[in-house]
């Protein structure tokens, strides 16, 4: 189903810059977008400042808190959320599913909470889905997914006016259930698709499992669905999640971490007591030293830390958008993956889904940088190898595949470039064969090139091939078919 309110402008891998039209707010949100979480009872940074000082186009608050609040329920009904919160962008509301996951029961139904969200002026509402935690028994995950799907169907029948409605994708840590959930959600006439119940995975640094969950959901949802990763608040993992096709992120981390004197960076989290210098030039860090913040009272210290946390978080979103525009998002992801071993696991899991990325990745970009063995598993390499499998050469020809210069002793001389493998010399100036690669190539890059040689040889069994290489390791040469002659140019 085509989502008329979501338009993709630029794409790199599964990551994209898009425009999410929110008709009730009469705004268009550029994605990837961060939704700061606002608890009306605990406003660390006022919502009006989120728009004017940090550039937030959309935020999220919990409608169930308003629904059950003596202080805010009637005021929200009388004045509307935008007035109560002092925010003139788009507002998304959650339904109480978080409370359901935490406490096991809530006293509201999907029709009731959706009608309440419409009445208080929410721009994007949420039904009461069932967030199944990671590693739940499959039978539980299956049953609770069926309940969520029933509630999505109920949500379709509720009169919400111009309010968009979320269709959460559940299924615990079972990628096939996530795919089934995504396919069901995409078939509804609902609008935005949150991948739910992933916060425990992120809290436990299970980024590889998170990637597999997202991949399952994406396979079911298809290309045109705007995807929200519920609870993904730390900037360290935004690039990875965007590369997997997530468009929206909600963050309470900026405030929760500030309350605990924690300072966010794209490499992780630091405690204020451990900092002698601020490694940041945001307004907070430019005007203060760590000792200044430690000397403040609790409320002022918390506010300034929260402001820094917001600055670094929005900066990372802008960095990701620029990488998307430049076509080097995966280079950014690989750089970020070096911040933590669990992030590297997540990036390796992403490359396990290279087939999914390759389907939507642009065939032409500005540059390909080989940064590590993980680069050998990128979709551009997979795509080149598949092309080699389709190339037909004249039977009986002799072809030199070489890392050196051409030779007139052969009918043809092709270049070999790790990690891609062989290609006709006239393609040397085409992407991605213009790749920047290190002079000291690692074994994984050579092995990937050898797989390319094997793929070409398999597609042309009657052609005679010779591989001329510069001291490839035995592990790489083992992937070269026996019928391909090899010459070590280093000798």
């Amino acid at each position: 189903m085509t989502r008329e309110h979501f338009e993709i402008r630029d794409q790199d891998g599964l990551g994209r810059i898009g425009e999410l039209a929110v008709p009730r707010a009469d705004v268009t949100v550029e994605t990837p977008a961060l939704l700061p979480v606002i608890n009306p009872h605990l406003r660390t940074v006022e919502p009006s400042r989120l728009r004017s000082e940090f550039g937030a186009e959309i935020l999220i608050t919990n409608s169930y808190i308003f629904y059950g609040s003596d202080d805010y329920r009637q005021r929200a009904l009388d004045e509307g959320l935008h007035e109560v919160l002092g925010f003139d962008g788009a507002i998304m509301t959650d339904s109480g599913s978080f409370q359901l996951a935490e406490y096991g029961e809530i006293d509201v139904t999907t029709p009731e909470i959706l009608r309440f969200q419409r009445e208080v002026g929410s721009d994007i509402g949420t039904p009461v889905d069932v967030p199944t935690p990671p590693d739940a028994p499959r039978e539980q995950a299956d049953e609770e997914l069926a309940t969520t799907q029933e509630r999505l169907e109920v949500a379709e029948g509720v009169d919400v006016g111009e309010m968009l409605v979320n269709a959460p994708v559940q299924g615990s840590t079972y990628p096939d259930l996530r795919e089934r959930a995504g396919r069901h959600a995409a078939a509804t006439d609902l609008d935005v698709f949150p991948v739910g119940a992933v916060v425990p995975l992120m809290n436990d640094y299970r980024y590889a499992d998170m990637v597999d969950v997202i991949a399952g959901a994406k396979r079911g949802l298809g290309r045109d669905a705007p995807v929200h990763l519920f609870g993904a608040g730390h900037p360290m993992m935004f690039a990875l999640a965007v590369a997997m096709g997530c468009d929206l992120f909600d963050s309470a981390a900026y405030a929760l971490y500030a309350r605990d004197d924690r300072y966010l960076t794209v490499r992780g989290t630091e405690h204020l007591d451990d900092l002698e210098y601020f490694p940041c030039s945001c307004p907070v860090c430019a005007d203060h030293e760590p000792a200044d913040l430690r000397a403040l009272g609790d409320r002022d210290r918390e506010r300034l830390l929260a402001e820094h946390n917001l600055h670094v978080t929005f900066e990372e979103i802008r960095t990701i958008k620029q990488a998307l525009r430049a076509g080097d998002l995966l280079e950014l992801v690989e750089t970020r993956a070096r911040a933590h071993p669990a992030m590297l696991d997540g990036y390796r899991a992403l490359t396990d889904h290279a087939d999914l990325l390759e389907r939507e990745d642009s065939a032409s970009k500005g540059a390909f940088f080989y940064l590590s063995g993980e680069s050998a598993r990128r979709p551009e390499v997979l795509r080149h190898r598949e092309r080699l499998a389709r190339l037909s050469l004249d039977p009986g020809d002799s072809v030199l595949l070489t890392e050196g210069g051409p030779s007139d002793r052969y009918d043809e001389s092709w270049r070999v470039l790790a990690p891609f493998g062989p290609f006709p010399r006239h393609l040397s100036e085409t992407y991605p064969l213009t790749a920047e690669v290190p002079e000291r190539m690692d074994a994984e890059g050579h092995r990937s090139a050898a797989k390319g040689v094997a793929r070409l040889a398999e597609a042309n069994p009657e052609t005679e091939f010779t591989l001329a290489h510069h001291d490839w390791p035995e592990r790489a040469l083992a992937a070269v078919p026996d019928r391909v002659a090899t010459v070590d140019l280093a000798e």
Side-chain angles (χ1 to χ4, degrees):
M1 180 183 293
T2 300
R3 306 290 161 182
E4 294 182 358
H5 59 279
F6 184 60
E7 179 179 351
I8 298 170
R9 293 204 330 252
D10 293 279
Q11 187 147 350
D12 186 7
L14 294 178
R16 59 269 186 106
I17 294 178
E19 292 182 344
L20 177 66
V22 186
R24 195 174 193 194
D26 194 26
V27 301
T28 297
V29 175
E30 184 179 77
T31 64
L34 176 73
L35 292 72
V37 175
I38 298 298
N39 182 332
H41 298 293
L42 299 167
R43 301 193 198 186
T44 310
V45 178
E46 284 299 319
S48 59
R49 295 183 60 213
L50 293 174
R51 178 83 156 166
S52 62
E53 296 180 32
F54 299 92
E57 297 178 315
I58 182 170
L59 58 76
I60 184 170
T61 190
N62 193 319
S63 67
Y64 190 69
I65 292 177
F66 284 87
Y67 185 83
S69 169
D70 294 334
D71 295 330
Y72 283 103
R73 177 187 173 96
Q74 195 57 49
R75 187 180 168 199
L77 287 167
D78 292 342
E79 301 176 21
L81 288 178
H82 291 80
E83 184 66 27
V84 171
L85 296 179
F87 186 75
D88 61 358
I91 297 178
M92 179 185 289
T93 45
D94 197 3
S95 61
S97 296
F98 172 79
Q99 283 79 3
L100 178 65
E102 289 291 309
Y103 309 118
E105 188 175 351
I106 57 175
D107 58 353
V108 68
T109 66
T110 282
E112 289 170 341
I113 200 65
L114 282 177
R115 283 194 287 267
F116 179 76
Q117 289 171 88
R118 180 198 65 203
E119 289 166 0
V120 298
S122 174
D123 302 305
I124 307 174
T126 308
V128 183
D129 60 312
V130 183
T132 308
D135 308 315
R138 185 180 177 91
E139 182 178 0
Q140 175 189 343
D142 212 344
E143 290 176 357
E144 293 181 350
L145 175 57
T147 301
T148 291
Q149 291 175 336
E150 290 170 5
R151 292 177 180 177
L152 298 189
E153 291 164 10
V154 168
E156 287 185 280
V158 179
D159 180 9
V160 295
E162 285 192 312
M163 184 176 76
L164 302 181
V165 178
N166 285 319
V169 177
Q170 298 293 348
S172 186
T173 34
Y174 300 97
D176 63 314
L177 293 187
R178 293 283 185 169
E179 182 173 349
R180 186 206 305 169
R183 191 172 295 110
H184 176 272
T188 69
D189 62 4
L190 304 181
D191 307 291
V192 180
F193 302 90
V195 179
V198 293
V199 171
L201 294 177
M202 289 181 279
N203 288 345
D204 291 338
Y205 292 88
R206 292 172 59 183
Y207 293 118
D209 290 331
M210 181 195 77
V211 165
D212 290 339
V213 161
I214 297 170
K218 289 288 292 185
R219 290 179 194 277
L221 287 169
R223 181 174 187 268
D224 295 328
V227 176
H228 180 173
L229 191 60
F230 254 149
H234 200 298
M236 181 171 71
M237 47 72 59
F238 285 173
L240 177 64
V242 169
M244 284 303 302
C246 297
D247 306 292
L248 302 168
F249 305 90
D250 62 283
S251 174
Y254 75 94
L256 295 175
Y257 284 23
R259 237 162 267 157
D260 195 30
D261 283 350
R262 288 190 286 172
Y263 175 99
L264 291 183
T265 78
V266 294
R267 294 185 57 84
T269 307
E270 303 286 348
H271 199 280
L272 182 62
D273 286 344
D274 298 328
L275 291 173
E276 289 298 319
Y277 307 95
F278 282 142
C280 172
S281 57
C282 78
V284 173
C285 298
D287 291 343
H288 302 84
E289 295 183 355
D292 299 333
L293 265 63
R294 287 194 287 268
L296 295 174
D298 290 348
R299 291 190 64 181
D300 287 338
R301 184 175 66 252
E302 178 184 329
R303 175 180 56 80
L304 288 173
L305 278 173
E307 289 177 12
H308 157 78
N309 291 344
L310 280 169
H311 279 298
V312 76
T313 303
F314 276 103
E315 179 184 19
E316 180 66 358
I317 292 291
R318 293 190 296 272
T319 299
I320 291 167
K321 287 179 179 179
Q322 180 56 39
L324 272 162
R325 290 297 302 272
D328 54 14
L329 175 61
L330 291 182
E331 280 85 0
L332 176 64
V333 175
E334 190 161 352
T335 300
R336 294 289 185 257
R338 265 58 199 174
H340 193 284
M343 284 295 299
L344 185 56
D345 284 338
Y347 179 57
R348 288 173 174 166
L350 179 146
T351 61
D352 287 340
H353 298 285
D355 64 316
L356 182 61
L357 274 69
E358 195 273 335
R359 249 181 271 160
E360 298 185 24
D361 192 41
S362 172
S364 179
K365 303 178 189 177
F368 179 107
F369 285 79
Y370 188 96
L371 301 177
S372 72
E374 283 73 34
S375 298
R377 303 165 68 189
R378 281 180 46 173
E380 295 94 332
V381 178
L382 177 67
R383 183 184 299 129
H384 179 74
R385 204 175 293 157
E386 291 303 316
R387 287 173 176 167
L388 289 173
R390 298 193 298 268
L391 287 175
S392 296
L393 299 174
D394 291 335
D397 275 0
S398 61
V399 179
L400 176 66
L401 312 175
T402 180
E403 291 189 300
S407 170
D408 56 12
R409 295 173 53 195
Y410 298 85
D411 296 316
E412 292 189 52
S413 291
W414 286 27
R415 283 191 63 198
V416 173
L417 177 68
F420 301 97
F423 56 91
R425 304 189 80 83
H426 69 269
L427 298 180
S428 297
E429 298 304 316
T430 63
Y431 180 87
L433 304 172
T434 53
E436 296 284 345
V437 301
E439 290 187 15
R440 299 185 179 185
M441 177 57 67
D442 56 35
E444 193 58 38
H446 285 131
R447 180 171 168 79
S448 176
K451 289 179 179 178
V453 171
R455 191 65 65 91
L456 180 64
E458 289 165 6
N460 297 272
E462 297 181 20
T463 301
E464 180 183 320
F465 292 101
T466 299
L467 170 64
H469 63 88
H470 281 288
D471 196 24
W472 282 13
E474 287 300 321
R475 181 168 175 262
L477 293 173
V480 177
D482 291 339
R483 74 177 192 84
V484 176
T486 59
V487 176
D488 190 344
L489 295 172
E491 295 178 353

